[in-house]
Amino acid sequence: MLSQTMKEALNKQVLMEAQSSQAYLAMGSWAEIQPGLKGVTQFFFRHSDEERMHMLKLIHYINERGGFAVVPKLEQPTLTFVSLKKAFEILFEHEVKVSESINNLVDIALSEKDYATHNFLQWYVNEQIEEERLARECNDKLELIGEDKSGLYLFDRDIMTMDSE
Ligand code: FEO
């Protein structure tokens, strides 16, 4: 059984993953109407789907352990971006916040000696290492590319094969 504190903390994480999914969905919709960002568009939409999967995993876990996963109300995410670089900066900052939130959940699990939840959370700990790495890599590349159109062309092509799992 999950403690009340843990139920609430996991439900907050459900909200955070849902917000991530919405935020990247909005980035995808924005990218889709920009010229030459086909690869980036698919990347954002795929990333949004992954966040939904992260949310679903939490929902199932909460419900399986005697809690009730609350499907949250969502705020409208940022819809437009001054540049692709800005969108990726926001994505990176967001992922850092998600990592902090996961670490906080791990702290609660350890303090409550809830080893089942601690074990469950390890998947998220590993996932966040990968998500932060990928976001940092995209930011570094865009920093190098600057205003170079051929660089951006290659970035858009290459992002489709960048590992995001
Ligand atoms: Fe599910 Fe990107 O955090």
Side-chain angles (χ1 to χ4, degrees), residues 13 16-17 20 24 47 50-52 54-55 91 94-95 98-99 102 123-124 127-128 131:
Q13 193 63 33
M16 198 161 203
E17 301 293 347
S20 306
Y24 303 154
H47 213 76
E50 283 172 16
E51 298 300 351
R52 186 168 191 278
H54 298 172
M55 175 189 68
L91 187 146
H94 188 79
E95 288 304 329
V98 173
S99 297
I102 295 291
W123 184 88
Y124 288 86
E127 178 70 11
Q128 283 314 118
E131 298 239 329

Short mmCIF file of all heavy atoms in Angstrom, two decimals, residues 13 16-17 20 24 47 50-52 54-55 91 94-95 98-99 102 123-124 127-128 131, ligand 1:
data_model
loop_
_atom_site.label_atom_id
_atom_site.label_comp_id
_atom_site.label_asym_id
_atom_site.label_seq_id
_atom_site.Cartn_x
_atom_site.Cartn_y
_atom_site.Cartn_z
N GLN A 13 3.33 13.82 -9.90
CA GLN A 13 4.19 13.43 -11.02
C GLN A 13 3.36 13.10 -12.26
O GLN A 13 3.78 13.38 -13.38
CB GLN A 13 5.08 12.25 -10.61
CG GLN A 13 6.21 11.98 -11.58
CD GLN A 13 7.20 13.14 -11.69
OE1 GLN A 13 7.42 13.84 -10.71
NE2 GLN A 13 7.75 13.36 -12.87
N MET A 16 2.84 16.31 -13.82
CA MET A 16 4.04 16.81 -14.47
C MET A 16 4.29 16.12 -15.82
O MET A 16 4.67 16.77 -16.80
CB MET A 16 5.24 16.59 -13.55
CG MET A 16 6.41 17.43 -13.92
SD MET A 16 7.55 17.56 -12.56
CE MET A 16 8.40 19.06 -13.01
N GLU A 17 4.06 14.82 -15.87
CA GLU A 17 4.27 14.10 -17.14
C GLU A 17 3.21 14.51 -18.16
O GLU A 17 3.50 14.64 -19.36
CB GLU A 17 4.22 12.58 -16.91
CG GLU A 17 5.24 12.03 -15.93
CD GLU A 17 6.70 12.12 -16.39
OE1 GLU A 17 6.94 12.38 -17.58
OE2 GLU A 17 7.58 11.93 -15.54
N SER A 20 4.23 17.78 -19.48
CA SER A 20 5.35 17.61 -20.42
C SER A 20 4.79 17.19 -21.78
O SER A 20 5.21 17.72 -22.82
CB SER A 20 6.31 16.52 -19.95
OG SER A 20 6.76 16.76 -18.65
N TYR A 24 5.23 19.44 -25.24
CA TYR A 24 5.92 18.98 -26.45
C TYR A 24 4.96 18.83 -27.62
O TYR A 24 5.35 18.95 -28.78
CB TYR A 24 6.68 17.67 -26.16
CG TYR A 24 7.68 17.82 -25.02
CD1 TYR A 24 8.08 16.75 -24.24
CD2 TYR A 24 8.20 19.07 -24.70
CE1 TYR A 24 8.98 16.91 -23.18
CE2 TYR A 24 9.09 19.24 -23.65
CZ TYR A 24 9.47 18.17 -22.90
OH TYR A 24 10.34 18.33 -21.87
N HIS A 47 8.13 12.73 -28.86
CA HIS A 47 8.47 13.00 -27.46
C HIS A 47 7.22 13.21 -26.61
O HIS A 47 7.15 12.77 -25.47
CB HIS A 47 9.35 14.26 -27.41
CG HIS A 47 10.36 14.22 -26.33
ND1 HIS A 47 11.50 13.46 -26.41
CD2 HIS A 47 10.38 14.82 -25.13
CE1 HIS A 47 12.19 13.62 -25.30
NE2 HIS A 47 11.54 14.43 -24.50
N GLU A 50 5.85 9.90 -25.80
CA GLU A 50 6.64 9.24 -24.74
C GLU A 50 6.25 9.74 -23.36
O GLU A 50 6.17 8.98 -22.41
CB GLU A 50 8.14 9.47 -24.97
CG GLU A 50 8.70 8.59 -26.07
CD GLU A 50 10.13 8.95 -26.42
OE1 GLU A 50 10.79 9.65 -25.64
OE2 GLU A 50 10.58 8.53 -27.50
N GLU A 51 6.02 11.05 -23.27
CA GLU A 51 5.62 11.62 -21.97
C GLU A 51 4.26 11.07 -21.53
O GLU A 51 4.03 10.83 -20.35
CB GLU A 51 5.57 13.15 -22.04
CG GLU A 51 6.89 13.81 -22.35
CD GLU A 51 7.98 13.51 -21.33
OE1 GLU A 51 7.71 12.93 -20.27
OE2 GLU A 51 9.13 13.84 -21.63
N ARG A 52 3.40 10.86 -22.50
CA ARG A 52 2.10 10.27 -22.17
C ARG A 52 2.29 8.85 -21.64
O ARG A 52 1.62 8.44 -20.69
CB ARG A 52 1.19 10.26 -23.41
CG ARG A 52 -0.20 9.79 -23.08
CD ARG A 52 -1.18 10.04 -24.21
NE ARG A 52 -2.54 9.81 -23.74
CZ ARG A 52 -3.10 8.62 -23.65
NH1 ARG A 52 -2.42 7.55 -24.02
NH2 ARG A 52 -4.32 8.48 -23.18
N HIS A 54 4.93 7.84 -20.04
CA HIS A 54 5.47 8.00 -18.67
C HIS A 54 4.31 8.23 -17.69
O HIS A 54 4.31 7.72 -16.57
CB HIS A 54 6.41 9.22 -18.57
CG HIS A 54 7.63 9.11 -19.45
ND1 HIS A 54 8.51 10.16 -19.62
CD2 HIS A 54 8.12 8.08 -20.20
CE1 HIS A 54 9.48 9.78 -20.44
NE2 HIS A 54 9.26 8.54 -20.81
N MET A 55 3.36 9.04 -18.13
CA MET A 55 2.19 9.33 -17.28
C MET A 55 1.37 8.06 -17.04
O MET A 55 0.99 7.76 -15.90
CB MET A 55 1.33 10.40 -17.95
CG MET A 55 0.05 10.70 -17.21
SD MET A 55 -1.04 11.77 -18.17
CE MET A 55 -1.51 10.70 -19.52
N LEU A 91 12.71 23.05 -23.42
CA LEU A 91 12.62 21.59 -23.25
C LEU A 91 13.67 21.10 -22.25
O LEU A 91 13.36 20.33 -21.34
CB LEU A 91 12.80 20.91 -24.61
CG LEU A 91 12.58 19.40 -24.67
CD1 LEU A 91 11.97 19.03 -26.03
CD2 LEU A 91 13.84 18.60 -24.46
N HIS A 94 12.86 22.19 -18.73
CA HIS A 94 11.73 21.40 -18.26
C HIS A 94 12.19 20.01 -17.79
O HIS A 94 11.78 19.54 -16.73
CB HIS A 94 10.68 21.27 -19.37
CG HIS A 94 9.42 20.64 -18.91
ND1 HIS A 94 8.46 21.33 -18.21
CD2 HIS A 94 8.98 19.37 -19.01
CE1 HIS A 94 7.48 20.50 -17.90
NE2 HIS A 94 7.76 19.30 -18.37
N GLU A 95 13.06 19.41 -18.57
CA GLU A 95 13.55 18.07 -18.19
C GLU A 95 14.36 18.10 -16.90
O GLU A 95 14.31 17.15 -16.11
CB GLU A 95 14.37 17.46 -19.34
CG GLU A 95 13.54 17.02 -20.53
CD GLU A 95 12.43 16.04 -20.18
OE1 GLU A 95 12.59 15.24 -19.24
OE2 GLU A 95 11.37 16.08 -20.82
N VAL A 98 11.88 18.03 -14.21
CA VAL A 98 11.31 16.67 -14.07
C VAL A 98 12.28 15.79 -13.29
O VAL A 98 11.87 15.05 -12.38
CB VAL A 98 11.00 16.04 -15.45
CG1 VAL A 98 10.56 14.58 -15.30
CG2 VAL A 98 9.91 16.83 -16.18
N SER A 99 13.56 15.89 -13.59
CA SER A 99 14.57 15.09 -12.86
C SER A 99 14.54 15.42 -11.38
O SER A 99 14.62 14.52 -10.54
CB SER A 99 15.97 15.37 -13.40
OG SER A 99 16.04 14.97 -14.75
N ILE A 102 11.57 13.77 -9.83
CA ILE A 102 11.79 12.31 -9.67
C ILE A 102 12.70 12.06 -8.46
O ILE A 102 12.44 11.17 -7.64
CB ILE A 102 12.40 11.70 -10.96
CG1 ILE A 102 11.44 11.80 -12.15
CG2 ILE A 102 12.83 10.24 -10.72
CD1 ILE A 102 10.20 10.94 -12.08
N TRP A 123 13.34 3.22 -13.01
CA TRP A 123 13.14 3.36 -14.46
C TRP A 123 13.14 4.85 -14.84
O TRP A 123 13.73 5.26 -15.84
CB TRP A 123 11.82 2.70 -14.88
CG TRP A 123 11.62 2.73 -16.37
CD1 TRP A 123 12.06 1.82 -17.28
CD2 TRP A 123 10.96 3.77 -17.12
NE1 TRP A 123 11.71 2.21 -18.55
CE2 TRP A 123 11.04 3.39 -18.49
CE3 TRP A 123 10.31 4.97 -16.78
CZ2 TRP A 123 10.49 4.18 -19.50
CZ3 TRP A 123 9.77 5.75 -17.80
CH2 TRP A 123 9.87 5.36 -19.14
N TYR A 124 12.46 5.67 -14.03
CA TYR A 124 12.38 7.11 -14.29
C TYR A 124 13.73 7.79 -14.08
O TYR A 124 14.08 8.72 -14.81
CB TYR A 124 11.30 7.76 -13.40
CG TYR A 124 9.90 7.40 -13.84
CD1 TYR A 124 9.29 6.24 -13.39
CD2 TYR A 124 9.20 8.20 -14.73
CE1 TYR A 124 8.02 5.88 -13.81
CE2 TYR A 124 7.92 7.87 -15.16
CZ TYR A 124 7.35 6.70 -14.70
OH TYR A 124 6.09 6.36 -15.13
N GLU A 127 15.65 7.03 -17.15
CA GLU A 127 15.03 7.75 -18.27
C GLU A 127 15.45 9.23 -18.26
O GLU A 127 15.74 9.81 -19.30
CB GLU A 127 13.50 7.62 -18.18
CG GLU A 127 12.72 8.34 -19.25
CD GLU A 127 12.86 7.73 -20.64
OE1 GLU A 127 13.40 6.61 -20.74
OE2 GLU A 127 12.45 8.40 -21.60
N GLN A 128 15.49 9.81 -17.08
CA GLN A 128 15.85 11.23 -16.99
C GLN A 128 17.30 11.49 -17.37
O GLN A 128 17.61 12.55 -17.93
CB GLN A 128 15.54 11.79 -15.59
CG GLN A 128 14.07 12.08 -15.36
CD GLN A 128 13.41 12.83 -16.50
OE1 GLN A 128 12.49 12.34 -17.14
NE2 GLN A 128 13.89 14.03 -16.82
N GLU A 131 17.03 11.60 -21.07
CA GLU A 131 16.29 12.78 -21.56
C GLU A 131 17.13 14.04 -21.44
O GLU A 131 17.13 14.88 -22.34
CB GLU A 131 14.98 12.94 -20.78
CG GLU A 131 14.05 11.76 -20.95
CD GLU A 131 12.71 12.15 -21.52
OE1 GLU A 131 12.25 13.26 -21.27
OE2 GLU A 131 12.13 11.31 -22.23
FE1 FEO B 1 8.83 12.10 -18.57
FE2 FEO B 1 10.67 13.97 -20.09
O1 FEO B 1 10.02 13.43 -18.49
#
